[in-house]
Amino acid sequence: MGRITLEKVQKKFGETEVIPPLDLTIEDGEFVVFVGPSGCGKSTLLRLIAGLEDVSSGEIRIDGTPATDLPPAKRGLAMVFQSYALYPHMTVRKNIAFPMKMAGMDQAEQDRRIKKAADALNLTDYLDRRPGQLSGGQRQRVAIGRAIVREPAAFLFDEPLSNLDAALRVGMRLEISELHSRLETTMIYVTHDQVEAMTMADKIVVLRAGNIEQVGSPLELYREPRNVFVAGFIGSPKMNLMSGPAADAHGAHTIGIRPEHLDVVESGGTFSGKVGVSEHLGSDTFFHVHVDAMEEPMTVRAGGEVGLRHGDMIHLEPQADKIHRFDEKGLRIA
Ligand SMILES: Nc1ncnc2c1ncn2[C@@H]1O[C@H](COP(=O)(O)OP(=O)(O)O)[C@@H](O)[C@H]1O
Ligand SMILES: [Mg+2]
């Protein structure tokens, strides 16, 4: 089991309130991602759940039991960090066994759990190596293995892939998602990378300055961002956000149009401008278009083989039902 509830949980460091009182429920078996810009309080929130920081006020429950005053070791949660924190002089087997040894678990049970974790993480052939003889991805798997053997109610990950190169990150992302579907254990995963959030989460919690801006599935956040911040944060490339006459025409203070919802048309079109930088990805092309009277270039996502060059005129028509409208407070207009 691993249902975690936060009730009016608040955190201050001295006089500075980093997390204003917030409520959040994480269901048993859910993969929840906390995402937001650097410094918004993601790690602090995770550390409060883990018990590595004390709450200033509020209540944390794990499977209904008050956990606010429990020390980390008594919460039944396992944390995996960005720095793997492996013991360099110990083999993989000993690293994985470490928390069980500390807990004085009998050897047969330790062996059973090591085997299970090594199987789940493809580490069976590496158990007698030392961390220095492993790749970054394998080391991160050992760190996850050490969490698995504790059979926790939930796994807590704090930016576990930040130290890996881009290709390895994508691979590990898939591995962690697969691990989650196999173990069906609650996972809370912290990242500043909205692509990780979108690809891994059942439920995303978007944080800004300690506030929960929105909670929802990846597609809910993509389709109906509750405010301008979430609109700009979720989606890659970023949504085009415009104020002024373009927004007035829709009875809004700000409108948002995603790059993939702008169609390139032969002539006319709501927006016309000159092509600036083009990014050719093969499957897609991202055009940055300089439209008169707009400060920021608009980003357009087109197919892979659109024959437009720097300086060409381009005409754009937004898909009418895909225009997001926001009021002067930045809140979505239904
Ligand atoms: N131990 C601490 N003492 C004082 N301020 C802290 C401490 N830990 C974090 N903070 C502050 O709390 C805010 C949130 O930090 P953090 O949770 O690490 O953000 P994130 O993980 O989203 O980057 C930051 O402004 C940070 O400087
Ligand atoms: Mg952090």
Side-chain angles (χ1 to χ4, degrees), residues 5-151:
T5 55
L6 310 187
E7 288 164 29
K8 302 199 166 49
V9 165
Q10 182 211 29
K11 179 62 180 175
K12 288 186 185 174
F13 288 112
E15 288 301 298
T16 312
E17 187 183 57
V18 174
I19 311 275
L22 62 76
D23 295 319
L24 181 65
T25 299
I26 292 158
E27 299 296 344
D28 183 35
E30 237 175 3
F31 196 123
V32 176
V33 176
F34 296 167
V35 70
S38 180
C40 71
K42 305 178 294 294
S43 295
T44 302
L45 195 54
L46 199 68
R47 291 168 61 81
L48 290 171
I49 294 171
L52 299 172
E53 295 284 355
D54 292 330
V55 303
S56 302
S57 63
E59 191 73 46
I60 297 172
R61 284 172 210 279
I62 300 171
D63 292 324
T65 309
T68 319
D69 299 320
L70 288 181
K74 293 270 163 66
R75 297 193 184 196
L77 311 174
M79 189 127 171
V80 180
F81 299 93
Q82 176 182 341
S83 56
Y84 323 121
L86 302 178
Y87 299 103
H89 58 286
M90 289 186 193
T91 60
V92 168
R93 185 191 308 278
K94 287 210 164 123
N95 266 286
I96 293 178
F98 192 75
M100 299 187 283
K101 196 171 163 219
M102 292 312 284
M105 192 183 287
D106 78 63
Q107 193 60 46
E109 180 62 12
Q110 286 191 31
D111 291 344
R112 186 189 71 79
R113 292 191 185 193
I114 291 169
K115 182 176 184 315
K116 201 171 132 196
D119 282 349
L121 295 162
N122 288 319
L123 285 172
T124 308
D125 294 340
Y126 303 93
L127 285 172
D128 296 316
R129 291 201 195 177
R130 287 176 210 280
Q133 300 166 302
L134 300 177
S135 70
Q138 289 167 334
R139 276 180 233 168
Q140 190 51 278
R141 280 194 236 144
V142 177
I144 296 171
R146 199 169 46 188
I148 289 180
V149 293
R150 298 178 52 197
E151 301 189 343

Side-chain angles (χ1 to χ4, degrees), residues 42-43 158-159 190:
K42 305 178 294 294
S43 295
D158 193 353
E159 310 236 12
V190 162

